[in-house]
Structures are given as C-alpha cells and as structure tokens.
Amino acid sequence: MRLLDQRLVRRARAARRLLFLDSAFGAGGAVLILLQATLIARIVTRAFDGASARAVALDLGLLAATFAARGVVAWGFEVAGRRAAWTVLSELRLALMERRLHAQPAALDGVEAGEIAAVAVQGVDGLEAYFGRYLPQVVLAAVVPVFVLAWVATIDLGSALLMLITLPLVPLFMWLVGRYTADRTRERWLALRLLSTHFLDVIRGLPTLRAFNRSRAQAAMISEAGERFRRASMATLRISFLSGSVLELAATLGVALVAVTVGVRLVEGGLGLQAGLTVLILAPELYAPLRRLGAQFHASADGVAVAERMLDLLESPPAVSGTGRRVPSSPADVPVRFERVSFAYPSRPVLVLDELDLELLPGETVALVGASGAGKSTVAALLLGFAEPLAGRIAVGGVSLSQCRLEVWRRLVAWVPQRPTIFRGTIASNILLGAPYASDRRAREGAMLAGADRFIRALPQGYDTVVGDGGRPLSAGERRRIALARAFLRDAPLVILDEPTADLDRTSADVVAEAIERLRAGRTTLIIAHRPELVRGADRIVRLDAGGPALIPNEAA
C-alpha cells in the first residue's frame, strides 16, 4: 500500500500546502495528547494520595483547556484538509479538461467520452477522501507515534521498547490487506468505467436502437454491467470490513501486552502509579492513528484507483504538439497543400492516409468523396490541427502547419462537423460561439444566411430559447443550420464542411445546401460529402479510396 502517490502530490500544489499545514496541526495535536495523558495521570495519582479538589484545581483547569484545544486542533485539521482537497480537485479537473481539449481535441487515442466523464466527475470526487482525510491521517500516523514513544521513553524505557516492538504489527497488516484491496478496487473502477461508457453510448444511440427495436437487448447489457459493478463493490466492502477487524485485533493485542506488563510492574512496585497510568493512557493513542489510517485508506482507495487512470490521461503523449511560433498566411491568399501525408490512429496502426497529395487553391471549392473509412474526416482533423501527420506535411503558403501557431490558424478556419455540438444555453449564445464578441444583430444575420432565422423566430422565445441539455430539443437539420450560422458569423477564409446534409430529409437538405452555396462564395472550401447537390457545385471533385496510395481526381461533376 502506497502511503503517498508522488504523481498526485506533484500535480497538486494545494496538496503540498495541505501536508505542511496538517503537519503543524498534527504536531500540535500530538503535544496536546501527551499533555492530556500526563495531566489525567497526575490528577488521578494525587486523588489517590488524598489531595483535595482545591489542590488539583489548576490541573483540572489545564485539562479542560487541553480538551478544548484538542477540539480546536481537530476542527482546524478537518477544515484545512477539506478546503485543500476542494482546491486540489478543481486543479485536477481543470488540468484534465485542458489536456483533453488542447492535446487530444479529437480523442484520437480511442478514449471514450463516458470514461472521461466518469474520471472527471465521480472519479475526481473520489479523490476528496484521499486529499481531505487520508493524507492528513498519514501525517498523524507519522507524527503521533513518534511523540508518544519519545515521551513514554522518558517515563519508562521498558514500556517504550515494548510499544516499539508491537507497533509494526499494524503497518504490516495494513500492507498485506492493502495489496489485495488495491487489486479489488482497480477491478471496481474498471467495472464502473465499462458501465459509464456503455450507458453513455446507449443514451446517444437511443433513436437508432428504438428504430431497430434493439432497446431491450441494450437494457440487458446495461443490467449485466451494473451487476458486475455491484459484485466488485461488494467485494471491496468485504475486504474493508475484514481489514478493520484485523487492524483492531493487532492494535488490541499491542495495547493488551503493554497493559499486562504495566499492571504486573505496578503490583510488584517496579513502576510508579503516575508513570503507569500515563503509559496506559498513551498506549491506545499510539495505535489509534494507524488504525484510522487503515480505515481512511479504504475510503480513498476508489479515488486512488481512478487517479492512476487520470494521471495516465494527463501524461499521455499529445496528439498535437502546438509548439509552432510562426503566424500562418491566410488561405484566401495562399494555397493549402497536403504533401505526401500519411496518418494512422493510435488504436489502429494501419495507415488511414498513405502519402496523400491534395491542394486547396484560394477561393476554390473542393469536394472530397469516397467510401466510409477512406479517411475523409481524418483529412478534416489534420487540416484543423487536431492531429499531426506521421509523415509528410501540411503546408500553408509553403510553410508547414506544424511551425505555425495553432490558435491563430484555427481563427482562419470555420468548421461545420457532421454532428454539431449544441451547448446548454440560448440559441443566440450557441450561434455566438463562432464569434464570441459579435453583436446580437450579427448573430441574427448569420442565422438568416444559414436559413435558420425562420424556425428560430417561430419558437416562443425566439433567439432566447434555451437549447442543449434540458432545453428544447432540436432536429438534425436545425442543429446543422445553427452550425452554419456559426460559420457565417466566424467569416473565416477557409471553410470545412463534414457531411453537412447527411441524415437529413430532402427539405432540410435543400435548405442546408442553399446556405452552403452562400457560405462558400469567396472562400476556400473543403466539402466532405456524398449527396449530389453538394458535389455538383464544386470546382473539383476528388475521390479518396481506402487503402489507395493517393487521391484519384474526378473531373466530371
């Protein structure tokens, strides 16, 4: 069992402050424990010697103050741990989101969205027990036994040696049980990841499942994944209860040995009453931090198991380096060329693109066609800077895109994906994603050019209608028109359209096609399409064959 996960501590600056502050609280609490035991033993001894209540009044007052101080220290210890834990959780969640957005914007490593959601929400929340309770308890387990042993050694060296001999029993049992617990907890997290990923996929595909009458089969699969998670959780709980009993037994045996030895020596007169009482009172305090550490380990085990996966995601090699410093030229002025570009996904080592050559001239509309899996969407991802070629380069006016500043390049590109993302908010705020600082008037103009103004005005709240999660649902055609409105608002010289009319009925497809005709005027446009109404208006049609060595141009519209 690892007491400290160095990768987690290194990544969380607040954790270092937490350890420092908790060390101070822990040292203060240890001193108060020693003072409390000494005062109790002194009061009891003087009471046996016949001292009056007035004679021990000062000691009683000090004891009451010690109890109150221990309460204050315990409160500060808890508050400091929880506040630092909340800060750490926020930092880790933000780091994970930034990493996925900047280094893996297209999730080319094959990590499912359900897993990311489980790690960022429930997984990171599980770390609260690690940072808020487990790490502070590590400090107490390291500080309190040292103080207790040192103080007992000044009172009775024999009892201190006996405590020192029996103390390692508790960490030994913790290590033995902890090794088994880590494996079971990892299995539980894998079960949760499977359940989360599959559940999210089912939710996304509900319309298709209903259409093909496959909803009951998916319900059975979710039930099976849920049962696997239940079994894993129960196995972890059984280990937790077992380990608690084992640690209690080890601590009880240690305290019993000390108590028996001290009792015998008291009867024989080899040890004074005050010294013996002090040792007896401190004996449970010696083992208590280690016992609580074992309990907190089980409470934080889920978070640690998830943290391993989260750190793997944070430290995985980026799909995009983003180290370029040159300002790219505008595609309105210079051509964009794919020069012998090859690419393969990490999860599929087979080349998707093999020495691809493609040129987009300023103001030209190129239609990219081909079978599914031929690499058309990969071309768009490479052009957007979501991934980098394994070989070859993408050149903008003769300058490699890898040498350019990606944030500047992406401002020169407008992208309409096949499945546009609609965020929770008003329709106006969703359109303004294309140009966040644009006015509402410009947002309405973009909607009019995209053919979306009519259906938006027909809504009860118009542009103030809330859409996205929990809001008014939008059809596929309405979502595409909002995405096109974003592109109009962005007014970028290069436009990438990925299957903009796929899965639309004839009426919606015609509206979208008309909007695309307006959008591509005066801009360099790459259209990934199958439908003839989009391909027909292109200046060039290029067919991409899966597994082929290059693009095969098709001159006939």
Side-chain angles (χ1 to χ4, degrees), residues 8 11 88-96 127 131 310:
L8 272 178
R11 279 201 163 268
V88 169
L89 300 189
S90 298
E91 290 181 359
L92 289 174
R93 190 172 280 127
L94 180 61
L96 180 61
L127 284 172
F131 286 107
M310 179 182 63

Side-chain angles (χ1 to χ4, degrees), residues 228-293:
R228 177 182 173 185
F229 176 64
R230 186 195 67 80
R231 290 196 299 267
S233 299
M234 295 305 297
T236 304
L237 288 175
R238 282 195 295 269
I239 298 170
S240 177
F241 289 130
L242 174 63
S243 68
S245 302
V246 171
L247 294 180
E248 289 290 339
L249 175 62
T252 302
L253 289 175
V255 173
L257 286 174
V258 174
V260 169
T261 304
V262 169
V264 171
R265 294 175 64 192
L266 281 173
V267 172
E268 294 178 346
L271 187 66
L273 178 60
Q274 182 174 340
L277 285 175
T278 303
V279 172
L280 287 176
I281 294 171
L282 288 177
E285 298 290 349
L286 176 72
Y287 302 99
L290 293 174
R291 289 157 53 190
R292 287 194 289 268
L293 179 62

Side-chain angles (χ1 to χ4, degrees), residues 2 119 164 172 241 394 399 532:
R2 293 175 297 176
V119 170
L164 186 61
L172 176 62
F241 289 130
I394 302 173
V399 179

